[in-house]
Every structure is written in structure tokens, then in C-alpha cells.
Amino acid sequence: MKGDRLGASVLAVKMIPNVDARMAEKLGMPKGWKSLGILTADADDVTYCALDEACKNAEVSVVMGKSFYGGAANANSKLAGEVIGMLAGPSPAEVRSGV
């Protein structure tokens, strides 16, 4: 209802401190940025807002966000959830701060 909290649960997080240069290029990461944080969650709308907020509070950029419109109840594994998001940053510390 109006004013109710919309929550999401983070299901999985993976940090890659130093991605391959080809992967960074494919993801459109800014030159010199090497770190990547990948997360899945069970609610896409809330997760997109959280990714946006991360960009405002840490030196990170969203390089991928994708919904799996089957929903959390129809995920192919319990950690896949409804959405996947990737945050890129210049260092593992910045990405960790964004995640």
C-alpha cells in the first residue's frame, strides 16, 4: 500500500578486482577501470534504484543491468533471482563501496 517499504534481497555478489581488458571493453568500462562487482537480487525495480544510488555515492558506473522477467519464483537457480547488475569502478575498494 501507499508508503509501504519496497524491499529487495541481494541473493549473490561476486567481486572481480582485475577484469580482462577484452571483457572491460565489451562492457564499455571507462579506460583504466579494472574492477567489477556483480550482484543478483529478487526484485528488479528496487535493484535498479539501488544501482543508481550506488553511482551517486561511489566512483562506480553501471555497465549492465538486466531483468529476467520470469520473476524470482521462476529463476533457474536460487541465487539467480529476478535481476543482475554490474558495477564497474577504478579499484576494488570503490566497487565494494558501490555494492
Side-chain angles (χ1 to χ4, degrees):
M1 294 301 160
K2 188 174 181 178
D4 287 353
R5 180 183 172 279
L6 294 175
S9 295
V10 174
L11 302 173
V13 175
K14 177 68 177 173
M15 301 286 295
I16 304 174
N18 191 18
V19 300
D20 180 80
R22 289 175 294 172
M23 183 175 182
E25 184 181 339
K26 284 279 191 192
L27 290 171
M29 292 171 64
K31 218 169 199 57
W33 284 21
K34 297 182 175 192
S35 298
L36 188 65
I38 306 167
L39 65 93
T40 63
D42 63 0
D44 60 355
D45 293 338
V46 177
T47 303
Y48 289 134
C49 292
L51 292 169
D52 179 59
E53 198 63 28
C55 294
K56 296 173 184 173
N57 290 289
E59 190 179 357
V60 295
S61 179
V62 176
V63 293
M64 205 254 292
K66 181 169 175 64
S67 292
F68 307 116
Y69 287 104
N74 299 305
N76 58 6
S77 78
K78 65 181 179 180
L79 299 179
E82 188 173 310
V83 62
I84 185 170
M86 293 186 187
L87 291 172
S91 70
E94 285 294 337
V95 172
R96 193 173 297 111
S97 180
V99 171

